[in-house]
Amino acid sequence: MSALAGSKVLLSWQEDFNVGIEGVDAQHQRLLVLINGLWDATVRGTSGPQLLTHVDELARYTRYHFADEEQAMQGADYPQLAAHRRAHQGFVARIAAEREKVMADGYVTLDLVRFLQEWLVNHIAVEDKHYAAYVLGNAQRMSFFSRLLRRFA
Ligand code: FEO
């Protein structure tokens, strides 16, 4: 993944962020691009409606990504779905609060930048990896049982 030439990067993609599900990793990489885009805009002094477009795009894509993940967790009967969903809701609420600040003051806070950094590292590399391992394990178990059932059919 390459950043735009000359743009400021808050965080680069690391192998450790991969959760092992190709589509999810691609969505996470897209999220990283959007977060870096917001950071770059902030560093360049972008404010007001222009900055708002970055926040809104991040919020929109995050909701899309979370819905996909929660559907996968639900499909696999992931036992920690409720807690994971709460973490997602917390993120959405945080971005919504930040949007209000941009509307009022024109700028995002450095606190948001720290939050996004921590969220990427802790949520993706820990919580998402946890559910992904469960979903992948579940798919293998289903595949094993369906092969087993076919043998007795
Ligand atoms: Fe990829 Fe649970 O967010």
Side-chain angles (χ1 to χ4, degrees):
M1 180 182 43
S2 65
L4 291 173
S7 64
K8 304 292 179 197
V9 172
L10 179 67
L11 206 59
S12 299
W13 186 259
Q14 297 165 31
E15 277 302 305
D16 195 43
F17 292 160
N18 284 316
V19 302
I21 301 174
E22 202 176 325
V24 176
D25 288 332
Q27 288 185 2
H28 284 157
Q29 288 182 20
R30 174 73 187 143
L31 277 175
L32 190 69
V33 168
L34 293 173
I35 288 171
N36 279 329
L38 176 60
W39 171 241
D40 182 60
T42 303
V43 169
R44 289 172 191 276
T46 307
S47 62
Q50 263 188 308
L51 189 58
L52 212 50
T53 60
H54 287 275
V55 176
D56 286 345
E57 179 60 10
L58 177 61
R60 188 199 63 76
Y61 194 78
T62 304
R63 285 194 300 271
Y64 161 77
H65 166 64
F66 288 167
D68 263 9
E69 279 194 346
E70 289 169 21
Q71 196 174 19
M73 285 184 258
Q74 201 157 13
D77 285 329
Y78 181 55
Q80 293 174 37
L81 168 60
H84 201 117
R85 185 175 272 146
R86 279 196 298 277
H88 285 171
Q89 288 166 343
F91 184 94
V92 169
R94 182 70 173 80
I95 298 298
E98 199 66 29
R99 188 183 197 282
E100 292 303 310
K101 284 185 202 163
V102 175
M103 293 283 280
D105 307 329
Y107 299 96
V108 293
T109 61
L110 278 179
D111 198 40
L112 173 71
V113 174
R114 276 192 291 271
F115 168 78
L116 291 173
Q117 259 181 321
E118 278 180 23
W119 187 83
L120 272 171
V121 173
N122 294 326
H123 187 81
I124 293 178
V126 179
E127 293 175 78
D128 283 352
K129 266 191 180 174
H130 193 269
Y131 99 75
Y134 186 89
V135 168
L136 288 169
N138 196 54
Q140 281 174 348
R141 283 190 293 277
M142 296 296 284
S143 167
F144 170 77
F145 284 120
S146 62
R147 280 199 311 271
L148 194 65
L149 285 173
R150 274 202 300 273
R151 281 181 55 187
F152 293 101

